[in-house]
Every structure is written in C-alpha cells, then in structure tokens.
Amino acid sequence: MRPGFSRRKRPAWRTVLYLVLAVLLLPYGLTLLYAVVNPPSTLMLWRYATGQRVARTWVPLSQIDSSLALSVIVAEDGRFCDHFGVDLTEIQNAIVDAEGLDDVRGGSTITQQVAKNLFLWQGRSYVRKALELPLALWIDLVLSKRRVLEIYLNIAELGPGGEFGAEEGAKRAFGRSAGNLSAYQAAILAASLPNPVTRDAKRPGPGLRRLAGLYQRRAAGAPEAAACVRQKR
C-alpha cells in the first residue's frame, strides 16, 4: 500500500510546488509589464479591498518638479544613480547602526522600496527582505532609473488619508501640483516619506521642518545625485 500511496501523493506535491514557484516568479514577469503599465502598490490594493480611501493621480516623471525627485533621492537613497538596485555599503552601515535606532531605514534603496511596495508587504521581516533583495536587482536590471523613480513617486504613500503618489501628496499638503513645488516644499514631502501618517507634510512639526531643511541643503549641494534621471534633451 505504501508505494501506491506515494504515487498518488506525488502529483499533489508537484502541484503545490508549481503553485509556489508561480507565485514567487510572478513579480519578475510583472516587472517587465510595468515598464509600460502604471502599477498600483500592494498597500493601495489592500485599501481598495477593505473599502478604504485611495487617492492616486499618476503623473510622468517629466511632470514632477525636479526638486522633488532630487530631494527624494538625497533623503532616501543618495547613491541611487550608482548602485545596481541594492546598496551594499548602506546595508552594512544599517546593520552596524541598527541597535537602538527606531528610525533606521534598514539600508533600503529606492529600488528595494519599489520592490516592497509593488509586490511584498509592509513591516520588517527576514523573509520579506530575502524576497526583496533579488527583486530589487531584477527591477534595476530591466527598468531604467527614470522608470524606477517614476514608479516610486507614484506609489509611495504621501498622506494620512490614503493619498498615494507625488501629485496627491502635493495637492493635499500645499494645494498645488507636484510639478510646481518649491525646493522647501519638495524637501518637506521627501522628509515625510517614512511615515506620512505621523509626519504630516500639511502640518509639519519642528522635527519635520528641521529634517526638510537638512534635505534641502543636501539637495542644493549634490545636484549630481539625480543625474541618471534627468531627461535627455
């Protein structure tokens, strides 16, 4: 009976294995599609599914103020133009500095955050990080830096009421388009990115204003940080 039982079970295990592989490989196929299709984030999909508000107006990178693109890069991933999706130096620094620091970014690049926001879940875990790293490498390989940043600026949560993307974040905080921001307003939005619920760009507290000032100064001193996403003339 045992050999027959084994034969009956083997196809079922193969089916489960194929399903697991399909789920794991699906993001890699979708990444190719997202070169031309404007995607939602997993958080946006969750909010849709649970009946919560979602406000997102997709705008191309060419219509987002360059000061916002630069501010986000200097705030989130200063070597965005130089690495291949994963910044090994920042990961090492994050591991060294993580103990006792509640606000550590975990060494995540913008590309890693795109991988997480598009395909994975919020919160920290070793499993999520293990899935995130190869996805970030793949995203950097098949998408241009401009497209990666464009996706990020259109799926990032930028308001406490379900506002996603630079356009909705700028409208809520400043009553203007993402293409018409001052350098300081851009820095405020960039500084709110880790948690726009507690870091409200519309009503910035002293800490958020100080951080925005820091990012504004960094951006003014490092315009080359966004060289890879400037539109070629």
Side-chain angles (χ1 to χ4, degrees):
M1 292 179 64
R2 188 166 297 174
F5 178 80
S6 177
R7 283 194 297 271
R8 288 195 299 272
K9 282 293 184 182
R10 192 176 297 121
W13 280 109
R14 286 178 181 171
T15 300
V16 171
L17 177 61
Y18 292 153
L19 287 174
V20 170
L21 287 174
V23 170
L24 291 175
L25 293 176
L26 180 61
Y28 293 86
L30 287 176
T31 299
L32 297 172
L33 183 65
Y34 290 164
V36 293
V37 173
N38 298 331
S41 69
T42 53
L43 181 56
M44 291 170 64
L45 292 174
W46 171 253
R47 290 181 68 92
Y48 280 127
T50 55
Q52 299 179 70
R53 178 175 181 266
V54 174
R56 196 275 294 271
T57 302
W58 186 282
V59 289
L61 190 60
S62 60
Q63 294 178 23
I64 296 176
D65 197 289
S66 60
S67 62
L68 180 56
L70 178 57
S71 293
V72 167
I73 288 174
V74 300
E76 296 288 294
D77 185 3
R79 285 189 284 271
F80 175 71
C81 287
D82 300 322
H83 61 64
F84 44 87
V86 174
D87 192 332
L88 298 179
T89 300
E90 283 301 310
I91 291 176
Q92 183 179 15
N93 291 341
I95 293 172
V96 171
D97 298 338
E99 186 175 357
L101 294 180
D102 293 333
D103 199 34
V104 69
R105 299 294 180 88
S108 291
T109 64
I110 286 174
T111 315
Q112 285 175 252
Q113 293 179 59
V114 166
K116 177 191 70 176
N117 291 341
L118 286 181
F119 304 120
L120 303 172
W121 59 93
Q122 306 299 310
R124 297 175 183 176
S125 74
Y126 291 113
V127 172
R128 198 210 73 197
K129 188 63 70 173
L131 295 171
E132 177 186 295
L133 291 175
L135 271 171
L137 296 174
W138 174 249
I139 289 170
D140 188 81
L141 178 66
V142 302
L143 300 182
S144 69
K145 292 287 188 180
R146 276 186 64 86
R147 182 58 174 170
V148 171
L149 186 63
E150 181 176 76
I151 291 174
Y152 181 69
L153 290 176
N154 279 283
I155 64 173
E157 189 179 14
L158 277 169
E163 294 86 8
F164 290 85
E167 184 72 5
E168 292 298 329
K171 285 180 178 178
R172 177 191 174 273
F174 312 117
R176 58 174 63 189
S177 168
N180 186 31
L181 296 174
S182 69
Y184 181 68
Q185 289 169 335
I188 284 281
L189 278 181
S192 75
L193 271 169
N195 191 339
V197 176
T198 59
R199 297 184 178 188
D200 191 343
K202 188 174 183 178
R203 301 176 183 86
L208 186 57
R209 291 196 297 268
R210 283 195 299 270
L211 192 58
L214 172 63
Y215 292 157
Q216 186 179 0
R217 291 191 295 274
R218 284 184 183 176
E224 71 283 355
C228 62
V229 299
R230 293 196 187 105
Q231 198 163 20
K232 296 179 181 179
R233 298 181 181 278

